[in-house]
Amino acid sequence: MDHAQARSWLATALAEARAGLAEGGVPIGAALHAADGTLLGRGRNRRVQDDDPSTHAETAAFRAAGRQRSYRGTTMVTTLSPCWYCSGLVRQFGISRVVIGEATTFRGGHDWLAEHGVEVVVLDDPECVELMRDFIGKHPDLWNEDIGA
Amino acid sequence: MDHAQARSWLATALAEARAGLAEGGVPIGAALHAADGTLLGRGRNRRVQDDDPSTHAETAAFRAAGRQRSYRGTTMVTTLSPCWYCSGLVRQFGISRVVIGEATTFRGGHDWLAEHGVEVVVLDDPECVELMRDFIGKHPDLWNEDIGA
């Protein structure tokens, strides 16, 4: 896909991540777009805010999009490389593409997704890297809890 | 693990699955047990009940268990072989064992989990098989929606 388009979609996920940070949460955001580009759902990690370990950014965006008959052609945009939980979500539901803000501070299952036919775009966005690097430095226990480490 | 113990834990997941069926939902249930056997959380698929595609049985049980510092030694019991989404959950959070009611009507990612060090016990429970076979026969569209097929 066009990187300018990917960067423009990343802005929504980044706004979610920043909102999560402001709430004292894990600053990861995501957005799910339809094949025609329509925003279907957006969300952020809510472990701290809702005391809910099951709400990662990607699962929040997926949930916000509501029930869909098919995910063919959809794109999951996320500020951070998706963990196995969120990678499994993408594979199971046949989400066609994943746009990733950065995979420097954490590397999840995106190579596995690419092997299974998902289009993967890693943007190496410096703002996403800085957000996570700063958060991990300040809250290593919370970060480890969030990824089961 | 001891199969009698596994069967006794399966009863909780089966009760959840039956409750889901009674609500008109996808009849899959799950329960998460601590290393010492304590029940940490239980839940069922809530796609229909809550119009929520993100709540599979395993993610519901995981959520109900609340925030845990570690999943070492825990067991996820589920009436059906976990899909990629739920298999990813198990792998990411380091859940040590998965007890599966049946893998006949649907085969998810449990071989992949076994390859990555998760203990997998498949019980081949006839009641679990019948529940899903009957449901899939009556509601093929809903079932396909639930697994993104």
Side-chain angles (χ1 to χ4, degrees), chain B residues 5-59:
Chain B
Q5 175 68 89
R7 284 186 186 283
S8 124
W9 286 358
L10 182 64
T12 307
L14 245 173
E16 288 288 335
R18 280 192 217 103
L21 184 71
E23 293 165 345
V26 180
I28 306 172
L32 184 67
H33 287 266
D36 69 0
T38 310
L39 179 65
L40 296 171
R42 55 191 286 175
R44 53 185 177 269
N45 186 299
R46 304 194 64 83
R47 172 177 295 272
V48 172
Q49 297 93 319
D50 299 347
D51 257 336
D52 177 3
S54 77
T55 306
H56 273 196
E58 297 89 333
T59 66

Side-chain angles (χ1 to χ4, degrees), chain A residues 14-140:
Chain A
L14 245 173
E16 288 288 334
R18 280 192 218 104
L21 184 71
E23 293 165 347
V26 180
I28 306 172
L32 183 67
H33 287 266
D36 69 0
T38 311
L39 179 65
L40 296 172
R42 56 191 286 175
R44 52 186 177 267
N45 186 300
R46 305 194 64 82
R47 171 177 296 272
V48 172
Q49 296 92 320
D50 298 348
D51 256 335
D52 177 3
S54 77
T55 305
H56 273 197
E58 297 89 332
T59 66
F62 179 81
R63 185 182 198 178
R67 289 169 62 179
Q68 302 281 334
R69 189 56 202 84
S70 167
Y71 293 87
R72 185 187 302 264
T74 61
T75 301
M76 179 66 82
V77 186
T78 172
T79 54
L80 183 67
S81 175
C83 78
W84 286 115
Y85 172 39
C86 298
S87 295
L89 176 86
V90 168
R91 178 167 176 190
Q92 185 63 46
F93 290 98
I95 291 169
S96 298
R97 193 197 277 145
V98 180
V99 169
I100 298 169
E102 63 108 349
T104 304
T105 65
F106 174 78
R107 198 175 180 90
H110 70 262
D111 287 335
W112 178 72
L113 289 176
E115 280 164 27
H116 287 93
V118 177
E119 182 186 345
V120 174
V121 179
V122 181
L123 291 175
D124 251 331
D125 181 82
E127 197 174 340
C128 290
V129 174
E130 194 189 337
L131 203 59
M132 280 311 291
R133 192 164 277 159
D134 192 55
F135 170 76
I136 294 170
K138 284 179 180 157
H139 305 284

Side-chain angles (χ1 to χ4, degrees), chain B residues 64-123:
Chain B
R67 288 169 63 179
Q68 303 281 333
R69 190 54 202 86
S70 167
Y71 293 87
R72 187 187 301 265
T74 60
T75 300
M76 179 67 81
V77 186
T78 172
T79 55
L80 183 67
S81 174
C83 78
W84 287 114
Y85 172 41
C86 297
S87 295
L89 176 85
V90 168
R91 179 168 175 189
Q92 185 63 46
F93 290 97
I95 291 169
S96 299
R97 194 196 276 145
V98 180
V99 170
I100 297 168
E102 62 108 348
T104 303
T105 65
F106 174 78
R107 198 175 180 90
H110 69 263
D111 286 335
W112 178 73
L113 289 176
E115 279 163 29
H116 288 93
V118 177
E119 182 185 345
V120 174
V121 179
V122 181
L123 291 174

